[in-house]
Amino acid sequence: MNNLKEKELKSSEEISDDMKVLDDLTSSEYKWGFVTDIESETAAKGLNEDVIRMISKKKNEPEWMTEWRLKAFRYWLKMEEPTWSNVHYPKIDFQNISYYSAPKPKPKLNSLDEVDPELLKTFEKLGIPLEEQKLLSGVAVDAVFDSVSVATTFKASLNEKGIIFCSVSEAVKEHPELVKKYLGSVVPYTDNFYAALNAAVFSDGSFVFIPKGVRCPMELSTYFRINTQETGQFERTLIVAEEGAYVSYLEGCTAPIRDNNQLHAAVVELVVLDNAEIKYSTVQNWYPGDKEGKGGIYNFVTKRGACRGKHSKISWTQVETGSAITWKYPSCILQGDYSIGEFYSVAVTNNMQQADTGTKMIHLGKHTKSTVVSKGISAGRSNNSYRGLIKIGKNAEGARNYTQCDSMLMGNRSGAHTFPYIEVENDSAKVEHEATTSKIGEDQIFYLNQRGIATEDAVNMIVNGFCKEVFKELPMEFAVEAQKLLAISLEGSVG
Amino acid sequence: MLSIKDLHANVEGKEILKGINLEIKAGEVHAIMGPNGSGKSTLANVLTGNKSYEVTGGGVLFDGKNLLELDTETRARQGMFLAFQYPVEIPGISNATFLKTALNEIRKYKGEAELTPKQFLEKIKEKAKILGLDETLISRYVNVGFSGGEKKRNEIFQMLMLEPKFVLLDETDSGLDIDALRIVSDGVNVYKNGKNAFLVITHYQRLLNYIQPDFVHVLYKGRIIKSGGKELALELEEKGYDWIKTEEVETENA
């Protein structure tokens, strides 16, 4: 079984050009469903102050960090689980989740050679270019395996430029002043139920700091994978771009197949100062559950960026094909004058998947600008909702927003919903909203068939065309990956 | 090349084709004329395997093989091409990507190697020149924002690129001005080589001034009621379809 999976994965790695991608439709199964057999250390199920202290101690955290976690936990206890989304699932028993899982600790590692070979094999299966030789591909990877960041590549070359790219745990120890200054400054633990939970139990994640005037010379990437059964993954990412800095950050996610649902409640915070820019791209492919809706990841994530400086910019691009439930709204707080927020999203749901996703663009500064392009594709019996808030504050003179929200339906049993919220407190603002809903056209498929293109390929072509505006925002390798995922997710949904 | 025998077909349960018989040989150009609702477009859709149309009787041989048991893409790969009356828009997919995919599918089916990007580009340039196509059209999304004339020209461009054996032109003249009509017809005439064949479906005679048919058939109420040479088209133009209709009634009464 495992061998088969490995073979499939290999053949898909060999595919490079985008048309071949469309041919690779032989497997509709979740390809990343392998489990890695490594010794891990998992906390007993349940959550209380002792568990939090244990997590903090395991990670050798300083006192202030432990205190921050406990404050968050105490706050969380008083909060109510939110229910306003357009998704449905049985009540989560938060005491039936294990909040910490780490590969068994080894002595401090000096190089990749010392990493557990089983772990490296897993990353290889996932196609993560961990080895330095792959420097040519220009990607530096911070891999989060279950809860602990295992190895960070290219650290040395980044160091030279003063760029910090490491796990959050490491940052807590090595750069406490930066962590204290920025952690929770965009998403405070009081923000929402899952943000509070994350703050209390977060296991690890990536920390990126790009100093003033530095353009990060390579794409930075984190690959998340949930391995151990019944562990929630609560990673926490913090990216700071100082004045004039630039970074493009990639995030990919996969999980093994499990019958029961696993909770993933991450928090991502971005901070950009004057003239700085962060481009954050996600390809999310968590296990979506089987055709009957059994298993799969609950992906309840808070992602938010603060454009604090003038002319600063944050761009979120996401391709969401996985998870049983996706519930998230990568947002931008446009504080600095002339700052720019962008959100490009493709959300695909098939079978019994549910997604309630979109963005919030909060315009506070003058002449701030935001663009939202959302493409929702629903197939099978799935439900796909776009929910977006455009808020123009009273001082946001000359603010502008353009929102385009397109839905595509496949078959007769899927649903598409749009919930746009617009709040304007300044008369000079210009807010545009366009929305379309279409059904994948029989006439389009027939047209392509008549030119010798088989139905499955025709559907992929039409869907890829539909998502074009978003794909073109993704870095090249990621765009290819995204197309591949789309093809697999939608296999067999038409004709 | 194409042999249609007593072909019957339904659309939404209603019989539209009521026994079509037609023989088309390589090198021939046939025209099918007829008033609206006579079944012209149905014939094109049935021949290309549109699933919304149900064949209820008769048969079609394409190069001696049973055409009706093949799916649409296989028919296309074997060399059947329909220039659509209403070409469909595919947003986000460039003409070039679309054509490259189609061409390679067809080549793969025939056991030929895929074209290299260079070969493909050269072919595009060569064919675009024949039609006087603006090369920017190649990088635009398939038919999106094209004028009526551009869409029709794009159909003929695809024909030149894919090099089919048998070409169905479904009302290709509709919505074209005289200049566009001439360009489109030139494309067809350049492509005619004695080995391929054409079935030109049209309501009006004017297209046949540019694409000279060897045979003209009049389709009425799902049957071919009259066949002749190109002079038949002129006669129809002069006398209108009422003439045929009257004749048909007379034949029926006789």
Side-chain angles (χ1 to χ4, degrees):
Chain A
M1 186 70 184
N2 246 341
N3 277 342
L4 181 73
K5 296 277 177 221
E6 232 180 295
K7 223 159 86 191
E8 280 172 7
L9 204 83
K10 196 171 170 212
S11 70
S12 70
E13 272 171 7
E14 283 160 9
I15 286 158
S16 54
D17 109 315
D18 64 334
M19 280 305 116
K20 272 196 185 155
V21 164
L22 299 176
D23 291 343
D24 183 35
L25 285 163
T26 46
S27 164
S28 60
E29 267 179 80
Y30 188 71
K31 289 188 181 182
W32 293 268
F34 53 86
V35 177
T36 304
D37 188 17
I38 50 165
E39 271 190 278
S40 63
E41 193 175 42
T42 303
K45 286 176 185 176
L47 189 56
N48 54 47
E49 296 206 359
D50 289 342
V51 170
I52 289 163
R53 283 200 182 88
M54 186 277 283
I55 293 172
S56 193
K57 194 166 175 235
K58 282 275 173 219
K59 303 169 78 64
N60 289 318
E61 285 177 356
E63 186 66 26
W64 59 268
M65 197 67 243
T66 317
E67 277 310 307
W68 193 73
R69 287 176 181 274
L70 288 170
K71 263 194 263 174
F73 174 68
R74 287 168 200 146
Y75 193 84
W76 177 74
L77 285 176
K78 288 183 281 180
M79 295 179 94
E80 297 247 353
E81 197 180 337
T83 53
W84 48 262
S85 71
N86 189 28
V87 297
H88 307 278
Y89 55 93
K91 209 166 161 51
I92 299 170
D93 180 358
F94 290 94
Q95 293 303 334
N96 195 33
I97 295 172
S98 166
Y99 288 87
Y100 185 77
S101 167
K104 265 241 164 109
K106 297 265 158 81
K108 199 169 161 46
L109 307 177
N110 293 319
S111 80
L112 275 178
D113 307 338
E114 295 173 35
V115 174
D116 186 334
E118 281 292 323
L119 253 183
L120 290 179
K121 238 190 262 172
T122 302
F123 289 134
E124 208 174 290
K125 281 187 202 170
L126 291 169
I128 304 173
L130 258 184
E131 306 113 71
E132 296 267 351
Q133 300 99 296
K134 297 195 177 164
L135 186 86
L136 281 176
S137 64
V139 180
V141 177
D142 182 30
V144 178
F145 188 85
D146 277 10
S147 307
V148 171
S149 187
V150 181
T152 304
T153 49
F154 309 113
K155 212 177 256 180
S157 63
L158 293 173
N159 269 346
E160 280 169 28
K161 292 187 176 287
I163 295 169
I164 302 168
F165 180 36
C166 63
S167 68
V168 167
S169 322
E170 198 181 328
V172 166
K173 280 167 250 169
E174 307 292 326
H175 310 282
E177 68 300 339
L178 289 173
V179 176
K180 273 187 197 167
K181 187 171 175 188
Y182 292 110
L183 191 74
S185 76
V186 186
V187 181
Y189 61 74
T190 52
D191 190 81
N192 68 69
F193 185 81
Y194 293 101
L197 180 63
N198 176 286
V201 302
F202 79 87
S203 30
D204 215 332
S206 299
F207 175 75
V208 178
F209 177 81
I210 315 288
K212 200 169 167 174
V214 172
R215 220 186 138 80
C216 186
M218 58 183 84
E219 316 248 334
L220 301 183
S221 163
T222 298
Y223 219 104
F224 294 111
R225 182 173 160 83
I226 296 181
N227 197 52
T228 315
Q229 212 149 353
E230 284 172 57
T231 55
Q233 186 156 11
F234 303 92
E235 83 274 351
R236 181 126 200 153
T237 298
L238 173 61
I239 304 177
V240 179
E242 282 197 332
E243 290 84 351
Y246 169 84
V247 63
S248 166
Y249 188 86
L250 318 176
E251 172 196 68
C253 322
T254 61
I257 295 171
R258 303 284 187 203
D259 278 352
N260 40 2
N261 301 99
Q262 282 177 285
L263 176 64
H264 173 251
V267 170
V268 175
E269 296 177 279
L270 312 181
V271 178
V272 280
L273 305 183
D274 287 358
N275 301 306
E277 177 179 352
I278 295 176
K279 190 173 163 59
Y280 193 105
S281 312
T282 305
V283 171
Q284 185 264 112
N285 179 35
W286 295 118
Y287 178 53
D290 67 11
K291 287 201 164 91
E292 272 65 53
K294 204 171 172 209
I297 303 283
Y298 290 167
N299 191 34
F300 300 166
V301 173
T302 307
K303 289 183 165 175
R304 193 177 304 155
C307 283
R308 297 217 172 125
K310 283 181 185 160
H311 298 280
S312 58
K313 181 176 173 185
I314 287 176
S315 182
W316 298 101
T317 306
Q318 58 171 24
V319 176
E320 308 273 327
T321 65
S323 296
I325 302 176
T326 300
W327 187 5
K328 67 165 189 175
Y329 314 92
S331 306
C332 298
I333 300 169
L334 304 170
Q335 284 165 271
D337 293 346
Y338 298 96
S339 60
I340 296 171
E342 291 176 344
F343 174 75
Y344 298 95
S345 167
V346 168
V348 181
T349 52
N350 197 357
N351 298 317
M352 298 295 282
Q353 280 177 279
Q354 306 175 67
D356 191 318
T357 185
T359 185
K360 290 188 274 186
M361 292 291 175
I362 314 293
H363 292 253
L364 301 175
K366 293 182 176 58
H367 305 289
T368 45
K369 213 168 100 182
S370 63
T371 304
V372 176
V373 177
S374 163
K375 305 278 180 175
I377 300 165
S378 346
R381 283 177 285 166
S382 68
N383 238 321
N384 204 328
S385 303
Y386 168 82
R387 190 186 301 274
L389 168 68
I390 306 299
K391 190 183 163 95
I392 313 281
K394 57 178 185 298
N395 297 324
E397 204 67 39
R400 295 190 59 170
N401 160 266
Y402 172 74
T403 299
Q404 183 192 333
C405 191
D406 300 323
S407 309
M408 183 182 266
L409 293 166
M410 291 182 168
N412 295 319
R413 294 186 299 170
S414 57
H417 316 271
T418 308
F419 306 99
Y421 305 86
I422 298 171
E423 295 171 18
V424 179
E425 292 170 11
N426 186 307
D427 291 343
S428 66
K430 229 173 123 180
V431 177
E432 287 175 79
H433 182 94
E434 281 180 28
T436 65
T437 301
S438 57
K439 229 185 128 171
I440 190 157
E442 301 272 324
D443 55 340
Q444 287 178 319
I445 293 172
F446 179 65
Y447 189 70
L448 295 175
N449 284 161
Q450 214 299 308
R451 298 301 186 251
I453 301 166
T455 300
E456 202 91 53
D457 297 338
V459 169
N460 284 325
M461 194 177 248
I462 295 162
V463 168
N464 279 330
F466 177 72
C467 300
K468 183 78 163 199
E469 290 147 287
V470 175
F471 285 170
K472 71 173 203 273
E473 296 296 324
L474 287 171
M476 183 58 189
E477 330 81 82
F478 244 40
V480 171
E481 172 91 347
Q483 288 190 2
K484 221 170 5 181
L485 283 175
L486 231 63
I488 292 163
S489 309
L490 292 172
E491 155 133 342
S493 47
V494 167
Chain B
M1 177 182 292
L2 192 77
S3 169
I4 305 174
K5 291 236 160 61
D6 196 29
L7 185 64
H8 290 255
N10 287 1
V11 183
E12 289 165 358
K14 194 176 168 233
E15 186 168 56
I16 305 291
L17 298 185
K18 300 170 183 172
I20 302 276
N21 290 288
L22 194 58
E23 288 285 335
I24 299 175
K25 295 193 182 70
E28 293 178 350
V29 175
H30 290 244
I32 291 222
M33 301 183 71
N36 290 331
S38 57
K40 300 191 300 289
S41 279
T42 299
L43 180 61
N45 278 289
V46 167
L47 289 177
T48 48
N50 190 331
K51 291 184 193 73
S52 311
Y53 297 76
E54 187 198 356
V55 175
T56 52
V60 182
L61 294 179
F62 183 43
D63 274 344
K65 280 175 278 181
N66 182 358
L67 180 78
L68 299 178
E69 67 186 15
L70 306 174
D71 56 23
T72 301
E73 56 270 32
T74 310
R75 296 182 199 193
R77 291 167 191 170
Q78 290 190 358
M80 177 163 285
F81 181 93
L82 170 62
F84 282 68
Q85 182 177 6
Y86 303 108
V88 178
E89 299 184 0
I90 317 280
I93 296 298
S94 72
N95 247 334
T97 303
F98 164 58
L99 272 172
K100 195 172 151 214
T101 310
L103 189 58
N104 282 334
E105 286 294 342
I106 291 167
R107 293 182 67 94
K108 204 162 71 189
Y109 183 83
K110 291 182 185 163
E112 295 165 359
E114 292 191 356
L115 289 185
T116 64
K118 189 166 173 270
Q119 288 169 323
F120 179 70
L121 209 71
E122 277 165 6
K123 193 174 172 109
I124 275 196
K125 282 192 174 154
E126 177 202 329
K127 305 298 180 191
K129 210 170 154 194
I130 295 173
L131 293 175
L133 273 190
D134 188 349
E135 277 184 38
T136 58
L137 202 92
I138 309 304
S139 51
R140 281 165 63 189
Y141 297 153
V142 181
N143 294 324
V144 177
F146 285 28
S147 69
E150 280 175 327
K151 282 184 183 173
K152 294 295 173 76
R153 242 195 269 191
N154 198 26
E155 293 293 293
I156 301 304
F157 177 59
Q158 290 174 38
M159 176 197 78
L160 293 176
M161 287 295 292
L162 303 179
E163 300 175 316
K165 227 178 333 206
F166 181 75
V167 178
L168 278 152
L169 301 174
D170 190 5
E171 307 269 5
T172 297
D173 52 331
S174 70
L176 289 188
D177 60 28
I178 288 295
D179 292 335
L181 191 61
R182 187 175 296 123
I183 291 166
V184 162
S185 310
D186 283 351
V188 171
N189 291 328
V190 165
Y191 184 56
K192 240 172 82 178
N193 61 12
K195 288 184 201 134
N196 47 31
F198 295 82
L199 183 59
V200 183
I201 293 170
T202 180
H203 187 86
Y204 300 104
Q205 186 271 336
R206 70 171 190 161
L207 177 64
L208 305 178
N209 289 335
Y210 299 92
I211 302 172
Q212 297 264 327
D214 302 299
F215 301 94
V216 175
H217 312 277
V218 180
L219 189 64
Y220 183 62
K221 289 187 179 168
R223 285 193 192 93
I224 291 175
I225 54 163
K226 203 172 176 67
S227 295
K230 64 182 170 203
E231 68 288 345
L232 179 58
L234 292 169
E235 209 174 337
L236 273 173
E237 177 82 349
E238 201 179 305
K239 299 184 182 171
Y241 285 112
D242 284 344
W243 159 62
I244 294 287
K245 289 178 195 171
T246 328
E247 209 168 74
E248 158 87 348
V249 173
E250 280 164 9
T251 335
E252 268 176 12
N253 291 344

